[in-house]
Amino acid sequence: MAIQAAPEDVQVATKPLLQVQGLTMSYGFGDSENKILNDLNLDVNDGEFVSIVGPSGVGKTTLLRCLSGLIQPRSGTVSVGGEVINGPHRDLAVVFQDYSRSLMPWMTTLENVAFPLQGRGVGKKERNETAEKNLAAVGLAGQGHKYPWEMSGGMQQRVAIARALAYNAKVLLMDEPFASVDAQTRFDLEDLVIDLQATLGVTIILVTHDIDEALYLADKVIVLAEKPATVVDVIETGFGDHRDQVETKADPRFADARARILHRLRDH
Amino acid sequence: MTDTALRSAPKPGTGTRARRPEAERVRSRPAQVALNVLQRAWLIVVVFAIWWIASADSTNVFIPSLESILTSLGRDLFNGVIAEGAAYSLGNLAAGLLIAVAVGIIGGLILGETKRLREIVDPVIHFFRSVPQAALVPLIIGAFGIGQGPKIYTIAFACMWPVLLNTIDGVLGVEPTIRKFSRVYRIPRGLHFRKVVLPAALPQIVAGVRVALPIGITVMVVSELFAANKGLGFYILNSSATFMVPETWAGALLVGVIGYILSLLFVVLERRILSWYFKSGAK
Amino acid sequence: MKTSTKSLDWGLTTQRLLAVAALLAIWQVIIWSGTLPSMTPGVAALASSIGASLASATFWSALAQTMTAAVSGWLIAVAVGTVLGLLIGSVRALDRSTSILIDFGRSFPVLALMPVVIMLLGATAQMETVVVALSCLWPVLVQTIYGARRMESAVVDTVRIFQIPALLRFRRVLLPSATPFIATGIRISASISILVAVGVEVLSQTPGIGRQITLAQQAQRWDSAFAYLFFAGLVGWSIASLLNFAEGRILKWNRQNND
């Protein structure tokens, strides 16, 4: 993780999985130009869990949309595995905040999870098996016949996560994934994501406005602030693989890091 | 047309949000506007041109050239023949619609507020609104003659049902919290109707009138095509009976244009009446 | 309007029948009072000619003729409207280009074209079908365009992220998400089809219910004219209820939108 662009002479093998260089994004032109992101550089290594935290309206969602290839930045590049992306990419899956809208109500849960595989031409039997397996991984074994709207918000978000996992991308991008569920469900989902990351080794980039969530989940927390958004701090959490909603949050390092982020955000 | 299309159907706009302003807007503003106008207008121009050219030397007596249609339309528009007929027809339409709206709103408010009565008359209402309006024309004209009154009543009868049904739906759709508020603060019944229920149901009511308008125009023309001695429909019928083919076409086109203009005017009116509704984003 | 028909409510049914009886009584009183023109039939005459119609071959063939024209015109409109609508609604440039033309078409009272259409096609069943199809096309087209245009932005993003190929996108995303709107268009146009078919028959004397009503009226057989009118209403009502029911069954998933 580095704020500066990686030096050019780094060997290919050690290159970060996802690399952002000089990313600048704005809407409008001329007098009405509204700059959202200014010259962002990030490196995310394979298997890393990175949180991007910042106040509402700082441009987190715009950043995530650039990372996922849904929008093209004004300047700068996003690359995955050394390949500069110019649109949605095979190695990038996204879990949206709006789970109830991103799941298709006319498909059963199983069909929803299997749909991206169908798009890739995977046969019916195989894709249903994969979907069933991933539903089980998120704790929804045997629930594939249900429709999303027959499930609670937390369960729907599990389905969305299963869908992203089934796509088997190298990087999982999550946009405020737990913002619309109640606190207890949120904790459950956070722990689910931690477990999944540990067992599957997938790289996760999660965007949130919740400092506690960012710290609790991630190996590294990137703090965004100012207008246009820039990286104002990078914190290595160092909590290791074992996390607990009570213990980890009571850790003095947790309190220190949180105070540091709050200061950062207040000063900017 | 006879459908209220608002209860069981998904409302246009529910559950969907406008697409985000994405990054693709690259062109500058004036160019964008010009392109917009061009994109919307070109097809009309093409259709018009094709019609003009294709019909220019038509030998079929029933398909006159567009040029001759427009010539007769222009002539009759300026010599007052059409103006008189249009005034008569549109007067009937306005009167019929007015009656329909008044009866529909009052009936709808009453039925919407009294559950039992609504349930009892529900099948009767649905039966009446399913009666093909055009089939009433020979009966009403046969019984009451070809005067203005019967035509107005036919229009009113046909247009009443969508207004009535939509008003009922609108009243039923009033936010329960607002109803509770009205009860808790003991708003008097009359005031409650005028200031709470009516405005809250207004978007639905207006939608009902929007459905009623084309029905009214259709019934207006049909009643005049069936039997009349005045009006736009009579102009069409009369010219077709006397083999003035371009005039027949001109009359039919004119009714279409009038229908289009009225629907545009209605949109403007709707925007004004319901400005709070559109601005609040309740849609 | 929603009615509670979960379990059959006998009290309600009785009251409904009473309401109908009251309407008929009022009708009879008006007839007796002489306010209406003398030829309007009383309740008894009406009932007997409704019964007589059911036994008459003329009635059934008129009904068949009206239904054939209405249904075939409606089916043509549904097929053309859905295909065109999906195409127009999903291609933005096409949507813009056609918007004025479609606004014009939908507000055009097609029955006003009757004299012109009769000149071109004659007073035939085909002509009737064409007019019905032309009238039914607009609601289907407009609703389908609406449905295709209004895709959830989250769904659009999802489809892009998972790089769903165009054909699959059309079949599994665009089509189902537009279906509730298409269904509404189909339902609206079904009512219109009967209405227009009868209207065409009244105006052009093409065989069918509408013509029978006109003929009965001219022959001063008001009772049978009213009976035919009653059946026309009944058919329209049955079709509307049937489609409403079918829509509720087929679009199970769409319940969430109404919650």
Side-chain angles (χ1 to χ4, degrees):
Chain A
M1 191 79 241
I3 308 175
Q4 271 73 41
E8 285 306 314
D9 58 347
V10 174
Q11 283 175 321
V12 178
T14 62
K15 253 198 164 175
L17 180 59
L18 186 135
Q19 196 168 29
V20 177
Q21 289 178 314
L23 187 80
T24 299
M25 185 65 215
S26 42
Y27 294 117
F29 282 90
D31 295 339
S32 62
E33 176 164 349
N34 182 16
K35 208 168 192 178
I36 311 288
L37 308 171
N38 190 22
D39 193 28
L40 290 181
N41 297 293
L42 334 157
D43 292 348
V44 178
N45 294 320
D46 197 356
E48 226 177 355
F49 196 138
V50 174
S51 297
I52 298 174
V53 69
S56 295
V58 77
K60 299 187 297 291
T61 295
T62 303
L63 171 59
L64 196 110
R65 290 176 76 75
C66 284
L67 295 184
S68 60
L70 283 173
I71 49 177
Q72 287 295 309
R74 259 317 143 72
S75 64
T77 58
V78 176
S79 40
V80 183
E83 186 190 333
V84 173
I85 65 163
N86 50 15
H89 191 274
R90 169 69 192 82
D91 286 331
L92 296 168
V94 180
V95 175
F96 295 96
Q97 174 182 352
D98 247 344
Y99 48 80
S100 63
R101 295 176 195 277
S102 82
L103 293 175
M104 297 171 209
W106 52 88
M107 294 184 193
T108 63
T109 303
L110 190 76
E111 287 172 324
N112 261 296
V113 176
F115 188 55
L117 300 174
Q118 191 180 0
R120 207 186 282 156
V122 178
K124 186 163 189 171
K125 189 162 175 289
E126 193 188 338
R127 68 176 187 252
N128 282 353
E129 275 167 15
T130 312
E132 191 59 66
K133 203 180 73 198
N134 282 288
L135 277 173
V138 298
L140 291 175
Q143 310 255 26
H145 62 280
K146 283 190 183 167
Y147 284 92
W149 37 269
E150 293 175 312
M151 298 178 145
S152 68
M155 282 161 94
Q156 289 182 32
Q157 194 57 299
R158 282 169 192 257
V159 177
I161 293 170
R163 178 172 67 184
L165 291 176
Y167 192 61
N168 200 17
K170 291 199 178 102
V171 182
L172 199 57
L173 302 166
M174 306 180 97
D175 182 12
E176 302 259 10
F178 316 130
S180 348
V181 293
D182 62 87
Q184 186 53 50
T185 309
R186 182 181 189 133
F187 292 157
D188 292 345
L189 287 171
E190 286 171 3
D191 289 335
L192 172 76
V193 170
I194 290 172
D195 284 349
L196 289 172
Q197 206 240 353
T199 48
L200 301 173
V202 63
T203 308
I204 299 181
I205 300 176
L206 180 138
V207 159
T208 178
H209 63 267
D210 184 323
I211 297 170
D212 284 10
E213 180 169 279
L215 280 169
Y216 178 67
L217 291 173
D219 302 317
K220 273 163 198 164
V221 178
I222 295 169
V223 185
L224 283 189
E226 293 185 352
K227 210 164 176 74
T230 43
V231 175
V232 295
D233 202 358
V234 176
I235 296 172
E236 304 256 355
T237 58
F239 298 131
D241 281 346
H242 176 74
R243 306 200 183 199
D244 182 277
Q245 290 284 359
V246 180
E247 278 173 40
T248 308
K249 286 179 181 172
D251 191 315
R253 287 175 299 172
F254 193 95
D256 288 347
R258 178 206 237 174
R260 178 168 152 191
I261 296 172
L262 280 168
H263 275 295
R264 284 284 181 207
L265 292 180
R266 200 177 55 190
D267 296 344
H268 282 285
Chain B
M1 275 196 289
T2 51
D3 205 289
T4 53
L6 278 155
R7 172 156 264 281
S8 51
K11 278 175 221 156
T14 21
T16 45
R17 294 169 313 166
R19 287 178 182 143
R20 292 188 187 92
E22 292 288 20
E24 290 103 49
R25 307 268 147 91
V26 183
R27 281 174 225 96
S28 67
R29 248 168 173 270
Q32 188 71 48
V33 172
L35 194 76
N36 243 325
V37 173
L38 202 70
Q39 266 187 328
R40 286 176 192 279
W42 72 270
L43 193 61
I44 311 294
V45 178
V46 168
V47 168
F48 214 72
I50 290 177
W51 187 358
W52 184 281
I53 294 164
S55 67
D57 8 68
S58 159
T59 48
N60 186 334
V61 276
F62 295 130
I63 307 176
S65 67
L66 183 55
E67 192 184 354
S68 65
I69 295 174
L70 293 180
T71 313
S72 18
L73 183 62
R75 186 194 63 224
D76 287 349
L77 270 178
F78 286 108
N79 67 18
V81 174
I82 286 177
E84 198 190 330
Y88 174 81
S89 300
L90 294 177
N92 291 354
L93 177 66
L97 261 181
L98 221 61
I99 297 173
V101 168
V103 176
I105 291 181
I106 294 170
L109 285 178
I110 294 171
L111 289 176
E113 288 282 307
T114 43
K115 182 159 180 273
R116 194 67 190 177
L117 188 61
R118 182 174 70 242
E119 285 178 350
I120 291 172
V121 298
D122 176 72
V124 178
I125 291 177
H126 275 92
F127 173 75
F128 273 116
R129 77 120 192 222
S130 303
V131 170
Q133 299 97 350
L136 292 170
V137 170
L139 297 185
I140 295 185
I141 289 181
F144 298 101
I146 61 169
Q148 203 164 6
K151 292 193 167 55
I152 293 176
Y153 297 135
T154 319
I155 294 172
F157 182 82
C159 295
M160 189 178 82
W161 306 106
V163 180
L164 179 77
L165 287 169
N166 265 30
T167 307
I168 293 173
D169 272 353
V171 172
L172 292 181
V174 175
E175 191 65 41
T177 327
I178 293 180
R179 274 185 189 287
K180 274 182 213 149
F181 151 82
S182 188
R183 200 166 319 140
V184 167
Y185 286 86
R186 299 186 184 203
I187 308 292
R189 199 138 187 83
L191 195 63
H192 169 74
F193 263 117
R194 251 181 333 109
K195 287 287 181 187
V196 180
V197 178
L198 192 61
L202 202 59
Q204 288 273 69
I205 296 175
V206 172
V209 180
R210 201 198 309 124
V211 174
L213 182 67
I215 297 179
I217 296 173
T218 298
V219 174
M220 168 193 97
V221 179
V222 169
S223 70
E224 291 170 2
L225 282 178
F226 187 77
N229 49 19
K230 251 189 209 167
L232 287 170
F234 173 72
Y235 176 82
I236 300 174
L237 185 70
N238 190 41
S239 53
S240 114
T242 51
F243 288 103
M244 292 156 69
V245 180
E247 280 76 5
T248 312
W249 280 81
L253 275 185
L254 183 70
V255 172
V257 172
I258 289 176
Y260 181 55
I261 292 172
L262 287 180
S263 74
L264 288 185
L265 287 178
F266 191 81
V267 172
V268 175
L269 187 77
E270 190 176 12
R271 292 260 148 198
R272 289 204 64 153
I273 297 177
L274 297 175
S275 62
W276 63 268
Y277 177 65
F278 290 110
K279 280 179 195 151
S280 73
K283 199 177 180 185
Chain C
M1 277 208 289
K2 203 155 202 159
T3 48
S4 53
T5 44
K6 275 268 157 65
S7 62
L8 204 55
D9 181 348
W10 286 109
L12 183 62
T13 314
T14 324
Q15 276 169 313
R16 281 181 174 171
L17 290 175
L18 282 175
V20 174
L23 265 179
L24 291 176
I26 294 169
W27 176 256
Q28 191 63 53
V29 169
I30 293 174
I31 300 285
W32 280 331
S33 74
T35 332
L36 281 178
S38 55
M39 53 279 212
T40 5
V43 173
L46 206 57
S48 79
S49 63
I50 287 176
S53 305
L54 286 174
S56 113
T58 322
F59 166 74
W60 289 107
S61 78
L63 184 66
Q65 281 156 335
T66 304
M67 290 303 288
T68 310
V71 171
S72 42
W74 174 63
L75 288 177
I76 294 171
V78 167
V80 176
T82 312
V83 172
L84 270 185
L86 285 173
L87 196 70
I88 293 172
S90 51
V91 181
R92 220 153 165 194
L94 214 57
D95 195 358
R96 288 228 181 103
S97 310
T98 51
S99 68
I100 297 181
L101 210 59
I102 288 171
D103 272 348
F104 183 72
R106 71 193 286 202
S107 52
F108 199 106
V110 179
L111 285 178
L113 279 177
M114 281 301 298
V116 172
V117 181
I118 294 174
M119 282 195 290
L120 293 176
L121 301 174
T124 60
Q126 284 91 326
M127 178 276 295
E128 190 179 344
T129 308
V130 168
V131 176
V132 170
L134 269 179
S135 312
C136 291
L137 176 68
W138 304 104
V140 180
L141 186 63
V142 168
Q143 287 289 327
T144 308
I145 292 175
Y146 231 78
R149 201 195 281 156
R150 298 240 166 189
M151 237 208 302
E152 289 274 0
S153 58
V155 168
V156 174
D157 284 352
T158 304
V159 165
R160 288 187 59 202
I161 281 297
F162 294 118
Q163 298 178 289
I164 305 296
L167 203 66
L168 185 64
R169 184 183 107 91
F170 178 83
R171 198 162 55 81
R172 291 293 274 145
V173 182
L174 185 66
L175 200 58
S177 86
T179 319
F181 293 88
I182 299 175
T184 307
I186 290 177
R187 189 158 43 77
I188 296 174
S189 65
S191 320
I192 293 178
S193 72
I194 299 286
L195 200 146
V196 171
V198 174
V200 169
E201 290 158 8
V202 166
L203 288 178
S204 72
Q205 298 304 304
T206 321
I209 297 272
R211 176 158 188 252
Q212 291 305 318
I213 292 176
T214 319
L215 287 180
Q217 180 262 317
Q218 280 161 0
Q220 301 300 317
R221 288 294 312 276
W222 288 79
D223 51 339
S224 56
F226 271 86
Y228 279 86
L229 191 64
F230 168 79
F231 283 113
L234 201 64
V235 168
W237 180 74
S238 322
I239 291 180
S241 325
L242 204 72
L243 286 175
N244 237 336
F245 175 75
E247 196 179 319
R249 293 296 295 266
I250 296 166
L251 293 175
K252 199 169 51 153
W253 60 265
N254 194 45
R255 264 181 295 182
Q256 54 150 24
N257 287 348
N258 297 329
D259 283 349

